[in-house]
Amino acid sequence: MRIIAGDFKGRNLKVNPGMTTRPILDRVKQMLFDRIEADLPGARVLDVFCGTGTLGLEAMSRGAKSCVFIEQDHRAATLLRENTAHLGVEDRTLCWRTNAVKCSYRPKGVPDLVPFDVIFFDPPYPMAEKQFKPGEPLYKALEKLGSDEATAKEISLLIIRVPRRCEVEVPEPWIKTEFEIAVASMRILFYEKTDSIDE
């Protein structure tokens, strides 16, 4: 796995072998980042279920200001820290080893890294197929991410990767955009934050 564009173009990243994480193919990553290129300069990014950080680090290579990575798997989190060190971005990142659906999305001690402008949300497929419904853990996680304490009051961008046939319900304030990427067995969905749910 490698960075495909930007300041770190061509730099290799370590990935977790097996099916614990699902690194995204270069051609799909190119399609994704072509879509959000204009949103990245200066953005504070959150990479949830990040694996070894390929999406968040690609975003930083293309101009994102910072990234908070959330990953629970021990091996993936170790490789993630090695990747941030390899690129020399430790001072602009937080590798947060925690449960991605139970955490607050408000890390302490890093005020410059929040609230988030761009969120990558890439849950394991078995979880995605069951939990994007009201009352389920992924749905509740998106409710927390919709608060102004977690995401910027201005337009925030939420990017969700799911199995192709997965039905996805999301809570307010997230509104699905018309753009979508569908490749092989997966879809990438794009949402924008509307009026604050805290008001």
Side-chain angles (χ1 to χ4, degrees), residues 23-166:
I24 191 168
L25 298 175
D26 279 0
R27 67 187 180 96
V28 180
K29 188 161 57 172
Q30 186 65 58
M31 294 168 66
L32 165 58
F33 281 92
D34 283 348
R35 169 65 178 83
I36 66 171
E37 193 81 42
D39 298 292
L40 294 176
R44 294 160 296 190
V45 174
L46 175 65
D47 193 352
V48 187
F49 303 101
C50 69
T52 60
T54 57
L55 293 178
L57 292 172
E58 184 75 37
M60 294 190 72
S61 181
R62 295 169 183 251
K65 173 185 176 181
S66 61
C67 187
V68 172
F69 299 93
I70 296 180
E71 176 57 53
Q72 190 170 25
D73 180 75
H74 173 73
R75 177 59 177 160
T78 297
L79 295 175
L80 167 63
R81 291 187 178 92
E82 292 178 11
N83 284 336
T84 59
H86 173 58
L87 298 182
V89 294
E90 301 101 314
D91 61 333
R92 297 189 287 134
T93 59
L94 173 65
C95 302
W96 191 3
R97 190 180 170 215
T98 187
N99 186 306
V101 295
K102 293 183 178 179
C103 74
S104 65
Y105 302 113
R106 291 176 287 173
K108 293 180 171 58
V110 287
D112 291 341
L113 276 57
V114 291
F116 305 110
D117 304 295
V118 176
I119 302 166
F120 298 108
F121 199 81
D122 191 10
Y125 279 2
M127 183 183 295
E129 289 169 345
K130 299 177 181 177
Q131 295 188 12
F132 278 114
K133 300 175 182 178
E136 295 292 337
L138 292 180
Y139 190 94
K140 291 179 178 179
L142 295 179
E143 287 179 325
K144 287 187 286 185
L145 282 169
S147 77
D148 289 342
E149 292 178 325
T151 46
K153 291 184 180 181
E154 299 77 17
I155 291 178
S156 297
L157 183 63
L158 169 67
I159 301 129
I160 302 177
R161 181 163 67 137
V162 294
R164 187 156 190 159
R165 299 185 184 279
C166 178

Side-chain angles (χ1 to χ4, degrees), residues 3-33:
I3 302 289
I4 60 175
D7 293 343
F8 308 132
K9 182 179 179 179
R11 301 281 288 274
N12 291 323
L13 300 175
K14 295 182 178 180
V15 295
N16 209 15
M19 297 301 292
T20 302
T21 57
R22 292 172 292 106
I24 191 168
L25 298 175
D26 279 0
R27 67 187 180 96
V28 180
K29 188 161 57 172
Q30 186 65 58
M31 294 168 66
L32 165 58
F33 281 92

